[in-house]
Amino acid sequence: AVLKAARQHSDFPGAMDNREQAYFAAAVAFTGGDNPPMTLAATSATRPRRYAAFLAAVSAIAAAHPTDQTARSFMVLGNLAAGSVGDCALDPTLAPCRAAQQRARDLAAS
């Protein structure tokens, strides 16, 4: 609702530019969007999807703003998070898990 109001009314308190809206949307994705998990079980069950959505959102910000070091930092965190939940929490040696962890290391080193 806040993002919609900010887009429709430039004088809306908290009006944000496109990049700020994208960061806000990434945070919303991280917490579950319009239907955030309300129980411990739901939080755990939705974690892989929410972390993947966050990573996709911050990756899009980084692609659109290549000099934005904050976006790159969030990409490191997103890859670390995505590579540590779901199947990765059970077996971190799986190829997708190792790939996410390696991407995080590569981003942090560059």
Side-chain angles (χ1 to χ4, degrees):
V2 171
L3 288 177
K4 184 178 178 181
R7 280 192 289 267
Q8 292 175 345
H9 307 285
S10 62
D11 61 341
F12 180 80
M16 298 174 269
D17 66 24
N18 289 340
R19 184 169 21 181
E20 291 167 326
Q21 288 183 31
Y23 273 115
F24 192 85
V28 169
F30 182 78
T31 60
D34 291 334
N35 297 309
M38 301 303 278
T39 66
L40 184 58
T43 299
S44 181
T46 61
R47 195 170 283 135
R49 178 181 50 80
R50 292 182 295 112
Y51 288 7
F54 173 77
L55 177 57
V58 295
S59 295
I61 296 168
H65 305 279
T67 61
D68 186 342
Q69 291 301 311
T70 300
R72 288 180 61 82
S73 296
F74 280 126
M75 284 179 60
V76 171
L77 294 173
N79 275 289
L80 289 172
S84 66
V85 296
D87 290 341
C88 294
L90 302 173
D91 185 358
T93 65
L94 294 171
C97 311
R98 288 194 328 264
Q101 299 301 318
Q102 186 61 52
R103 280 191 304 273
R105 284 191 291 275
D106 292 346
L107 285 165
S110 64

